[in-house]
Amino acid sequence: MDLGLADRVYIVTGATSGLGAACVAQLLAEGARVLISSRDQSRVTAAVVEHNEKYPGQVCGVAIDIVDPEAPGALARLALAEWGRIDGLLVSGGGPPSTGFLGATDDQWRAAFDSVFLGPLRIAREIASQLSAGGCIGVVLSGSVYSPIPELALSNGLRPGVAMALKTLSDELAGTGIRTVGLVPGRIETARTLELDSAQPEVSARRNSAIPAGRMGTPTEFARVAAFMLSPAASYVNGTNIVIDGGVKRSL
Amino acid sequence: MDLGIIGRGALVLGGGGGLGSEIAKSLAREGVKVAVADLVEAAADSTVAAILQEGGEATAVSWDLADHVAMESTIDELEASHWPVDILVNITGGPPPSSVVEQSEELWKEQFNGMVLSVIRLTDRLLPGMKARGWGRIITSTSSGIVTPIPNLGLSNALRSALVGWSKTLAREVGEYGITSNLVIPGRVATRRIVFLDEAKAKREGRPVEDVTKESVASIPVGRYGKPEEYAAAVTFLASAHASYITGTSLRIDGGLIPSV
């Protein structure tokens, strides 16, 4: 299937680890040009060097913090200077710290609001006006959009709002040819998830046994779906979420 | 992107219709051998001819959703003389426009038989083979009415919703065998069925069909009806090796039509 990604320009945040990194690799493999970004300048530099060997000319990078109000402008300027157009955005990033609801402090809520809610949505808002027709805005969400995850009260409280704001954005982009899509991962074997799991092996074994597919997902399984959804091949998928979770979501 | 399904066998119900024919063709382009099933034999033949012309592999199957006895022997024959079914695309025709009140028991039963039980029986028939081979895709096409009920499509809204619970339950029961079960939800995809529904609405409300269509399109964020090939692309992706971690869920291909998250 030709996804039509060749030479299209994508901005990816959280692009040097986990799901974001897997999505970058997939987009590049499909011929897209990708501006990668994350907080850590050394990791961005290393990733650009690495990708440039395999995909020369297809990648550039910048260190930004998603909570910084200047981040969207910096991303747009660089992508436009490098390639003269932007066809898509994938907002990925780490989740908020683990805490129960009763134990979460005001400061934790404010910090999580900046990193989980306002940061991603500010980038979506600012990049939306820069996207070519046929462009797509994807945001990596969480199963907490549908069911609360124990000890992730901050995510449970904030992610559903991100999904609803994204839906609102798709309505407001009516007629522009720009789509939005939310990507909802379940338990995926990223380095971060495996690290958290190793700290509590019994809990993770119990969680894995609840997955109908009988296993965790791989970052590549997630990334291939993301590449399809961000591509012109998914041109009539808009204002909705796709769940990549091996069936673990309990509700319909 | 190579979808990793070259040589797989598929059965596409409604394969002679507007959505089914595009799905059958799209799967065939990925190297899938496609059994094209339709009540209207000439329609199935036409899809098969198009696939063969493109160099794909396909066979036509005469299919009556309501005839569960014939289904058994049809599948026996298909699997014996052609290929085992790894990918099942369940598409059933839409019922007549109707309210939910004061419909006859016979009509409810007839439509349940054709739209729901047919899908359940066929899937049950194919699952043992998929389990034995350790791979399978059950993709059931429904309607936006399972999320937001469509006025005057009462039978469809009620009966297709039964498949939501069925598909989700099925996903858990077969997940360990490498089989996924998902729903696809079309919005207004430009097929003869949509033209028919627009015409029926225009007639009911005594206004020109162009008005009805214009109003309908205006409610879709992408600003147009979908193309059958756009629907087919999403279904084909769900049928692919790459959709291995998507199960027990639904994918809307509706241009943003459904107003809820």
Side-chain angles (χ1 to χ4, degrees), chain A residues 12-27 34 36-37 51 90-93 140 190 219 222-223:
Chain A
V12 180
T13 72
T16 57
S17 62
L19 298 178
C23 291
V24 169
Q26 195 64 41
L27 288 167
V34 184
I36 63 176
S37 63
H51 289 308
L90 179 66
V91 185
S92 178
V140 180
T190 58
F222 180 86

Side-chain angles (χ1 to χ4, degrees), chain B residues 155-216:
Chain B
L155 286 162
S156 171
N157 297 334
L159 293 173
R160 289 199 198 279
S161 292
L163 292 172
V164 183
W166 168 79
S167 177
K168 181 72 177 166
T169 310
L170 177 64
R172 183 167 288 276
E173 294 184 11
V174 300
E176 63 183 297
Y177 301 99
I179 302 168
T180 66
S181 172
N182 292 294
L183 302 179
V184 275
I185 305 178
R188 300 201 187 108
V189 179
T191 61
R192 285 196 303 275
R193 167 82 177 167
I194 286 294
V195 175
F196 164 76
L197 290 173
D198 279 0
E199 284 170 354
K201 188 176 183 191
K203 198 173 168 190
R204 258 192 337 269
E205 298 175 0
R207 51 194 187 117
V209 68
E210 294 77 24
D211 281 10
V212 171
T213 302
K214 196 176 165 190
E215 184 182 279
S216 169

Side-chain angles (χ1 to χ4, degrees), chain A residues 1-3 26 30 145-146 163-164 167 170-171 173-177 179 186-188 209-218 221 224-225 227-229 233 235-252, chain B residues 1-3 26 30 164-165 168 171-176 187-189 220-227 229-238 241-261:
Chain A
M1 179 181 280
D2 179 13
L3 299 187
Q26 195 64 41
E30 296 295 325
V145 166
Y146 301 107
M164 191 62 87
K167 179 71 172 163
S170 91
D171 285 342
L173 290 172
T176 62
R179 304 181 292 116
R187 286 176 55 73
I188 312 285
S209 70
I211 304 171
R215 60 179 176 86
M216 293 172 79
T218 67
E221 278 178 307
R224 284 176 174 152
V225 179
F228 175 80
M229 290 297 159
S235 50
Y236 210 58
V237 179
N238 179 32
T240 190
N241 300 329
I242 174 79
V243 182
I244 307 120
D245 73 346
V248 79
K249 177 161 82 84
R250 290 160 68 195
S251 59
L252 291 175
Chain B
M1 180 183 272
D2 173 19
L3 296 188
S26 174
E30 299 301 324
V164 183
K168 181 72 177 166
R172 183 167 288 276
E173 294 184 11
V174 300
E176 63 183 297
R188 300 201 187 108
V189 179
I220 306 170
V222 303
R224 58 179 174 83
Y225 284 165
K227 296 177 234 166
E229 52 268 37
E230 291 178 296
Y231 193 63
V235 172
T236 302
F237 186 81
L238 284 179
H242 304 325
S244 43
Y245 211 57
I246 301 179
T247 190
T249 188
S250 56
L251 175 60
R252 300 176 187 175
I253 304 111
D254 72 344
L257 170 73
I258 296 171
S260 62
V261 163

Side-chain angles (χ1 to χ4, degrees), chain B:
Chain B
M1 180 183 272
D2 173 19
L3 296 188
I5 44 176
I6 293 170
R8 293 279 179 198
L11 171 62
V12 178
L13 300 190
L19 298 177
S21 61
E22 283 303 324
I23 292 166
K25 286 189 266 185
S26 174
L27 286 169
R29 283 179 202 125
E30 299 301 324
V32 175
K33 299 175 281 191
V34 186
V36 179
D38 207 290
L39 181 62
V40 185
E41 285 183 53
D45 288 340
S46 160
T47 303
V48 169
I51 291 171
L52 297 180
Q53 195 170 10
E54 291 184 13
E57 203 170 337
T59 186
V61 181
S62 174
W63 199 271
D64 182 352
L65 284 166
D67 191 342
H68 301 156
V69 178
M71 181 274 284
E72 294 279 349
S73 56
T74 306
I75 294 297
D76 289 345
E77 201 181 310
L78 174 70
E79 299 210 316
S81 61
H82 288 89
W83 43 78
V85 178
D86 302 307
I87 297 165
L88 171 63
V89 180
N90 289 310
I91 299 180
T92 63
S98 66
S99 58
V100 284
V101 298
E102 294 181 355
Q103 302 300 333
S104 72
E105 191 172 320
E106 286 70 32
L107 182 64
W108 279 108
K109 283 181 177 166
E110 179 196 324
Q111 292 297 328
F112 174 78
N113 204 36
M115 296 174 58
V116 181
L117 195 54
S118 57
V119 167
I120 295 172
R121 293 283 295 269
L122 173 59
T123 305
D124 279 349
R125 169 64 185 79
L126 295 173
L127 281 174
M130 291 181 184
K131 284 182 183 175
R133 293 185 297 277
W135 199 94
R137 297 284 182 269
I138 314 287
I139 301 168
T140 302
S141 183
T142 58
S143 153
S144 63
I146 67 168
V147 186
T148 42
I150 304 167
N152 211 47
L153 281 181
L155 286 162
S156 171
N157 297 334
L159 293 173
R160 289 199 198 279
S161 292
L163 292 172
V164 183
W166 168 79
S167 177
K168 181 72 177 166
T169 310
L170 177 64
R172 183 167 288 276
E173 294 184 11
V174 300
E176 63 183 297
Y177 301 99
I179 302 168
T180 66
S181 172
N182 292 294
L183 302 179
V184 275
I185 305 178
R188 300 201 187 108
V189 179
T191 61
R192 285 196 303 275
R193 167 82 177 167
I194 286 294
V195 175
F196 164 76
L197 290 173
D198 279 0
E199 284 170 354
K201 188 176 183 191
K203 198 173 168 190
R204 258 192 337 269
E205 298 175 0
R207 51 194 187 117
V209 68
E210 294 77 24
D211 281 10
V212 171
T213 302
K214 196 176 165 190
E215 184 182 279
S216 169
V217 165
S219 68
I220 306 170
V222 303
R224 58 179 174 83
Y225 284 165
K227 296 177 234 166
E229 52 268 37
E230 291 178 296
Y231 193 63
V235 172
T236 302
F237 186 81
L238 284 179
S240 80
H242 304 325
S244 43
Y245 211 57
I246 301 179
T247 190
T249 188
S250 56
L251 175 60
R252 300 176 187 175
I253 304 111
D254 72 344
L257 170 73
I258 296 171
S260 62
V261 163

Side-chain angles (χ1 to χ4, degrees), chain A residues 24-242:
Chain A
V24 169
Q26 195 64 41
L27 288 167
L28 289 170
E30 296 295 325
R33 294 174 287 192
V34 184
L35 165 55
I36 63 176
S37 63
S38 73
R39 269 179 302 186
D40 187 331
Q41 180 67 60
S42 61
R43 296 184 72 146
V44 171
T45 307
V48 168
V49 168
E50 188 193 326
H51 289 308
N52 248 325
E53 278 175 24
K54 201 169 174 188
Y55 306 103
Q58 276 179 250
V59 62
C60 65
V62 62
I64 55 111
D65 189 337
I66 203 164
V67 304
D68 179 359
E70 303 299 326
L75 291 168
R77 273 193 304 278
L78 184 57
L80 290 171
E82 196 75 19
W83 294 305
R85 56 187 285 175
I86 307 170
D87 298 292
L89 166 70
L90 179 66
V91 185
S92 178
S98 175
T99 171
F101 180 83
L102 292 173
T105 66
D106 285 7
D107 284 346
Q108 281 181 310
W109 276 108
R110 287 192 189 98
F113 175 80
D114 277 343
S115 67
V116 172
F117 190 96
L118 184 57
L121 290 172
R122 183 196 290 123
I123 291 185
R125 182 186 69 205
E126 297 303 313
I127 299 296
S129 62
Q130 307 283 343
L131 285 177
S132 312
C136 182
I137 296 170
V139 178
V140 180
L141 300 167
S142 154
S144 60
V145 166
Y146 301 107
S147 317
I149 302 171
E151 295 302 312
L152 284 183
L154 300 169
S155 176
N156 300 336
L158 293 166
R159 298 270 198 197
V162 178
M164 191 62 87
L166 196 60
K167 179 71 172 163
T168 308
L169 176 61
S170 91
D171 285 342
E172 291 187 16
L173 290 172
T176 62
I178 296 165
R179 304 181 292 116
T180 74
V181 61
L183 299 151
V184 182
R187 286 176 55 73
I188 312 285
E189 291 170 336
T190 58
R192 170 76 177 147
T193 303
L194 293 175
E195 181 196 321
L196 289 172
D197 278 3
S198 68
Q200 43 175 4
E202 281 167 29
V203 175
S204 65
R206 196 172 64 240
R207 284 186 184 160
N208 288 348
S209 70
I211 304 171
R215 60 179 176 86
M216 293 172 79
T218 67
T220 302
E221 278 178 307
F222 180 86
R224 284 176 174 152
V225 179
F228 175 80
M229 290 297 159
L230 288 167
S231 82
S235 50
Y236 210 58
V237 179
N238 179 32
T240 190
N241 300 329
I242 174 79

